[in-house]
Amino acid sequence: MLAFSFAPQPSIANDAEDGPQRRAAQSVFQQRLEQDQKLQDIGWKLVSGNAAFCANAIPSIGLQLHDMASYGRPDAVRELLGLSGDIAVLTAAAGSPSAQAGLTPNQHVTAIAGIDPHGWQSQPRSDWQRTKRIHDWIDQRLAEDGSVTLELAGGREIALEPVHACPSRFELSGDNKRAMAEGSRVILGYHFPGFSYPEDELAAAIAHELAHNVLNHRDWLDANGRGRSNVRLTEREADRMMPWLLANAGYDPAAAARFMERWGPVHDGGIFRKRTHDGWDERVEFIEAEVVRIEKLRAKEDVANWSHHFEREIAP
């Protein structure tokens, strides 16, 4: 079900009509948009680059829409963005069919596969459910019809042909520093430190969370329990999977170790670290061992086929 959903954010401004507050609101929104675009661009590289090895890969177009009803002040955001309706493009991931078709932020979408989503019921504010329904509708059309057509304001129609991608959505959400995976989504908080890292190291952090999804860790933990030792096994697998996902996305797989070397000394916690994770220096060693395996494999096969060569530590 890969389509990129946008979680509801706090109110952009209480009085966006006022000059200073409006400029501040625009600045905040632009910052969030830049973060979200970076997340979607990297996420697209990871899920499309690894599609050949995901057994449940799906057709995808790399498009993320947003619905004004998902904001705390829909009227203020609509005015801020100069929109005449509620549904608009938020991001088109670089290199995706949506970006190649020329979709850009804040283009007003009036219909999707002949259906006007404005007619779908929603609460007047802070309602994310219509946004999810819109992306699910796009996924359904791609799966059943093999393409989807968007109608933009002014009557322009764009037909989008998908490519295959691993099924995971990416969301920028929450006034926090977290990165997490919940089975079908990878979620980064607004203040996640990795946004200041080099792109390949941020990609490593995102790949770690994506690894949890492609390896079905949530389902395994649901079935086998979330004791400390089980969680540690899944975290170790996600660490070891990072360089495989990076390699197929066009990144240097060694960036996974560089990320951990940058992240670990600051965020590992020392003697207070989570016992569900190995120490950061141990994690680097596990990652570096995988990088060696990947380079040997790519010298022979030119790809990092983790579906055949990645050694699981848990029974799938």
Side-chain angles (χ1 to χ4, degrees):
M1 286 176 26
L2 180 67
F4 297 101
S5 63
F6 185 56
Q9 293 192 29
S11 174
I12 290 297
N14 291 326
D15 295 295
E17 298 85 355
D18 295 341
Q21 289 179 314
R22 181 181 178 85
R23 287 191 294 273
Q26 288 173 326
S27 177
V28 170
F29 196 92
Q30 184 60 35
Q31 179 183 355
R32 298 286 182 259
L33 178 59
E34 290 172 0
Q35 288 178 301
D36 208 350
Q37 186 69 59
K38 183 180 291 187
L39 172 60
Q40 304 305 326
D41 291 349
I42 293 172
W44 178 257
K45 288 182 181 180
L46 290 168
V47 293
S48 61
N50 284 279
F53 313 117
C54 284
N56 56 347
I58 61 167
S60 179
I61 55 174
L63 177 66
Q64 183 179 212
L65 301 177
H66 61 153
D67 180 357
M68 299 305 102
S70 69
Y71 294 97
R73 278 288 308 277
D75 54 341
V77 181
R78 193 182 299 111
E79 181 180 354
L80 191 71
L81 302 180
L83 294 174
S84 58
D86 283 346
I87 314 300
V89 174
L90 181 62
T91 61
S96 71
S98 294
Q100 292 173 351
L103 291 173
T104 57
N106 300 324
Q107 289 176 303
H108 179 202
V109 177
T110 59
I112 303 169
I115 299 296
D116 181 0
H118 295 80
W120 291 342
Q121 184 177 2
S122 72
Q123 297 300 315
R125 56 185 290 175
S126 301
D127 184 358
W128 54 267
Q129 295 186 55
R130 186 167 66 175
T131 309
K132 181 179 185 300
R133 182 178 178 184
I134 289 168
H135 288 103
D136 288 346
W137 171 247
I138 291 173
D139 285 348
Q140 183 179 350
R141 299 278 50 85
L142 293 173
E144 295 180 7
D145 302 336
S147 65
V148 67
T149 298
L150 303 185
E151 183 175 321
L152 305 180
R156 178 187 174 198
E157 291 189 350
I158 297 179
L160 297 163
E161 301 289 335
V163 299
H164 277 82
C166 299
S168 189
R169 299 180 179 185
F170 299 87
E171 294 183 2
L172 177 71
S173 178
D175 194 21
N176 58 63
K177 299 180 179 181
R178 294 185 302 175
M180 61 177 290
E182 56 80 73
S184 61
R185 296 179 296 161
V186 170
I187 305 168
L188 268 58
Y190 306 146
H191 306 294
F192 178 62
F195 281 118
S196 66
Y197 294 1
E199 180 180 326
D200 57 358
E201 295 179 28
L202 173 59
I206 297 170
H208 173 96
E209 302 305 332
L210 177 61
H212 286 304
N213 291 347
V214 301
L215 294 174
N216 297 310
H217 282 161
R218 184 174 187 178
D219 290 344
W220 186 85
L221 289 170
D222 286 345
N224 293 276
R226 297 177 181 275
R228 180 185 299 170
S229 60
N230 280 353
V231 173
R232 181 179 287 196
L233 285 175
T234 61
E235 291 297 335
R236 189 178 298 162
E237 275 201 343
D239 284 342
R240 293 175 46 239
M241 176 63 85
M242 279 195 289
W244 295 83
L245 297 176
L246 289 174
N248 293 319
Y251 292 108
D252 178 4
R258 293 196 296 272
F259 160 74
M260 193 60 65
E261 289 170 336
R262 186 188 302 269
W263 171 272
V266 178
H267 301 281
D268 187 52
I271 62 172
F272 301 108
R273 70 176 173 83
K274 293 181 179 180
R275 299 302 168 181
T276 52
H277 296 65
D278 296 303
W280 73 266
D281 49 348
E282 296 173 290
R283 298 173 77 177
V284 170
E285 291 178 2
F286 291 134
I287 293 168
E288 289 178 337
E290 294 298 321
V291 172
V292 171
R293 294 192 64 213
I294 291 167
E295 296 300 354
K296 290 181 178 178
L297 183 63
R298 290 205 297 180
K300 298 178 181 178
E301 301 183 5
D302 198 37
V303 293
N305 187 344
W306 49 265
S307 65
H308 288 169
H309 300 289
F310 182 74
E311 295 181 1
R312 300 294 302 265
E313 298 187 49
I314 62 176

